[in-house]
Amino acid sequence: MKSGPLRFATLHLQQEPIRLLTASLAKGRIAQSYIFVGARSVGKTRAAKTFAALLQCLEPTTGPSGAPDACGRCLSCKRVAAGSHPDVTFLRPLGTEIRVGQVRQMQELALLHPYLGKWRIFIIDPADRLNESSSNSLLKILEEAPERVVFILVAEQLEHMLPTIRSRAEIVTFHHPSHRSAREVIAQATGVSATTAACAYALTGGAFGAALALAGQEAVAADPLPLREAQVRFLEDLDRFAEHVQAGLQEAPSLEAALAALENPELPSFPPLLVSRRALVRGLLLAESLPAAFPVLFARVFLDTLDRGRRGVEKVLDGVIARQKAAYASEILKDMDKQFGPAVQALFQGQLTAFLECLRQWYEDIFHFAHTGDESWLLNLDRKEDIMALSLGRGLGAAESGIRLLSRSLELLSRHVQPGLVLEHVLTSIGGNAP
Ligand SMILES: [Zn+2]
């Protein structure tokens, strides 16, 4: 999400959790641990940083409702925003998990007095990635931690956390905003037109924070392309995406940063692929019919492109590791080495998932429109003419079976069923109203 001063006044569409947090501060009742839970990209991480900033702020102010807010300007606020406050520590996964060693390091820090601020704060993000042993280790810390220590666990799903951790924490729920309010705020906050806001929102699949960051970028408002061009553009953009990842790796100052770049190459940083992916999905759905050979051929080219991208990234990664390995103890290096392969694999497999998810979102829009006729439900509101045409042409039943097909295919992919077969089957099934 776009950074700026960390203030609750600038956190959009989450009044309820903000009210809860500021009320607990106003009453002087700070919990030892909080779980900020809610969907991806609704502002949980930003809220966690802002709450940390407020707790440490040297000159707290009040927001419009009279509730306390961070000033966003003092040295302390600036350091929290920059990630350099000595009493605000972030715990992020190393590779796919937050490991027990990381939690133990945190434990040592938790015992120290705050260095500059009033509190020692740990933001564990995403806490869904704690594994069994790191969860147990965290629980032990929660049981023994001294006063003046606050843990903020950021998670998408409460179920992924130990019940014993959940029951100790104050749960702060972040709700998904409605499409309508999300689009309105994106337009207001970035100054783009309602159409561009709707487009950015749709391109990110309804991820509010990501859409907010994307809205101001040039590539967003592209004209729709005919199927053939969309297909070529999409495949080119996949190659460019791989180059973009490679460039990110080359710049990574450490192996941890390289892993983070692989784990989270924030999609708004590469908007063209979002645009061409949606153009391709639109073209496929609007096509009267697809040539019989299309599913097999396209699936092959798609997967070959992903494979090429993966190999290119692996090659660059080998170089990065070779250059930096002297700085690491051999055990840590071995441990990290084990995580790079799966991270690269997941990154490229993620492209296939994203493609199928985009298709599913279109089917969901067709379904909503056929069902209610209400356009405010549509994710792809900026393409409502297309959705209406598809809805009229195909009807509710086809939309429902499309959603089922895509959900099943996504599940098969997550279980590592051969991606080529999954993709071919989807493309064959959606191939327009072929005679
Ligand atoms: Zn401040």
Side-chain angles (χ1 to χ4, degrees):
M1 190 185 293
K2 213 171 79 186
S3 52
L6 289 174
R7 303 195 63 216
F8 279 135
T10 62
L11 187 76
H12 301 287
L13 295 169
Q14 296 296 345
Q15 268 56 38
E16 190 46 33
I18 293 173
R19 198 191 55 72
L20 205 140
L21 291 167
T22 52
S24 73
L25 181 66
K27 287 184 208 141
R29 281 210 302 259
I30 304 300
Q32 182 212 35
S33 52
Y34 293 87
I35 300 179
F36 285 15
V37 65
R40 168 175 84 93
S41 206
V42 293
K44 301 183 301 294
T45 298
R46 189 164 174 87
K49 284 191 201 167
T50 306
F51 189 48
L54 173 56
L55 287 173
Q56 307 285 27
C57 181
L58 304 174
E59 299 162 41
T61 59
T62 49
S65 61
D69 202 350
C71 77
R73 289 188 307 262
C74 72
L75 183 63
S76 176
C77 279
K78 282 184 179 157
R79 292 182 90 162
V80 175
S84 63
H85 195 295
D87 299 324
V88 179
T89 307
F90 292 88
L91 203 63
R92 298 208 169 88
L94 259 182
T96 50
E97 294 180 333
I98 295 177
R99 281 136 196 274
V100 69
Q102 295 175 268
V103 176
R104 291 209 181 107
Q105 276 177 358
M106 182 177 82
Q107 181 173 24
E108 286 168 26
L109 277 177
L111 294 173
L112 302 175
H113 258 286
Y115 181 68
L116 279 184
K118 295 167 243 178
W119 304 89
R120 199 165 262 287
I121 301 168
F122 297 94
I123 300 175
I124 304 174
D125 183 11
D128 317 59
R129 302 285 196 84
L130 290 158
N131 60 26
E132 203 184 328
S133 49
S134 55
S135 290
N136 283 315
S137 179
L138 174 65
L139 181 63
K140 217 166 137 246
I141 304 176
L142 295 180
E143 284 164 350
E144 293 167 0
E147 284 181 20
R148 304 268 148 197
V149 177
V150 178
F151 297 92
I152 306 174
L153 285 72
V154 178
E156 287 187 20
Q157 308 225 333
L158 276 181
E159 301 76 61
H160 292 171
M161 263 173 294
L162 286 183
T164 36
I165 290 180
R166 289 192 323 237
S167 65
R168 297 186 66 91
E170 177 147 357
I171 313 282
V172 183
T173 308
F174 289 70
H175 291 286
H176 206 291
S178 71
H179 288 343
R180 183 194 300 252
S181 45
R183 286 189 278 251
E184 279 171 10
V185 169
I186 292 165
Q188 269 166 23
T190 60
V192 300
S193 69
T195 311
T196 307
C199 184
Y201 186 65
L203 286 173
T204 60
F208 173 74
L212 200 59
L214 183 67
Q217 301 196 31
E218 226 166 75
V220 173
D223 291 327
L225 294 170
L227 177 58
R228 232 193 127 63
E229 280 174 48
Q231 181 192 334
V232 172
R233 184 80 61 85
F234 174 69
L235 294 167
E236 285 170 359
D237 283 341
L238 275 180
D239 276 327
R240 288 167 54 209
F241 170 73
E243 285 161 18
H244 167 79
V245 174
Q246 290 178 16
L249 285 175
Q250 299 277 22
E251 284 166 17
S254 67
L255 292 185
E256 286 86 348
L259 246 187
L262 286 173
E263 276 251 297
N264 200 11
E266 276 302 316
L267 278 177
S269 65
F270 198 72
L273 185 58
L274 302 183
V275 175
S276 57
R277 179 192 297 143
R278 195 168 70 129
L280 174 60
V281 163
R282 172 186 174 275
L284 286 170
L285 288 173
L286 284 169
E288 287 293 315
S289 66
L290 297 169
F294 177 84
V296 177
L297 291 178
F298 181 72
R300 192 182 301 158
V301 186
F302 190 169
L303 294 177
D304 282 350
T305 309
L306 290 181
D307 207 42
R308 183 165 62 241
R310 184 177 56 75
R311 276 183 278 121
V313 166
E314 278 168 354
K315 199 169 157 205
V316 170
L317 191 55
D318 285 343
V320 173
I321 294 173
R323 275 202 306 281
Q324 302 204 3
K325 71 180 181 189
Y328 291 82
S330 68
E331 213 160 287
I332 296 175
L333 193 66
K334 219 165 94 191
D335 195 33
M336 293 196 72
D337 209 29
K338 269 191 257 165
Q339 300 170 53
F340 281 118
V344 176
Q345 188 68 31
L347 184 63
F348 286 94
Q349 166 106 3
Q351 295 308 318
L352 195 51
T353 310
F355 173 74
L356 296 182
E357 275 172 352
C358 185
L359 259 173
R360 181 166 67 181
Q361 285 156 0
W362 276 74
Y363 273 116
E364 283 167 351
D365 274 358
I366 299 168
F367 174 82
H368 281 311
F369 193 80
H371 196 51
T372 66
D374 179 356
E375 62 178 54
S376 66
W377 282 88
L378 302 183
L379 179 68
N380 297 285
L381 182 65
D382 58 318
R383 293 274 170 265
K384 69 178 173 196
E385 280 79 17
D386 297 333
I387 302 284
M388 283 154 77
L390 286 164
S391 174
L392 286 171
R394 302 207 172 183
L396 202 57
E400 274 177 313
S401 59
I403 295 170
R404 266 199 308 276
L405 167 73
L406 269 311
S407 300
R408 203 168 51 237
S409 305
L410 281 159
E411 202 207 315
L412 290 175
L413 265 193
S414 73
R415 286 199 265 128
H416 306 290
V417 172
Q418 276 194 35
L421 292 181
V422 175
L423 186 57
E424 263 176 50
H425 180 61
V426 167
L427 293 169
T428 308
S429 311
I430 64 164
N433 304 313

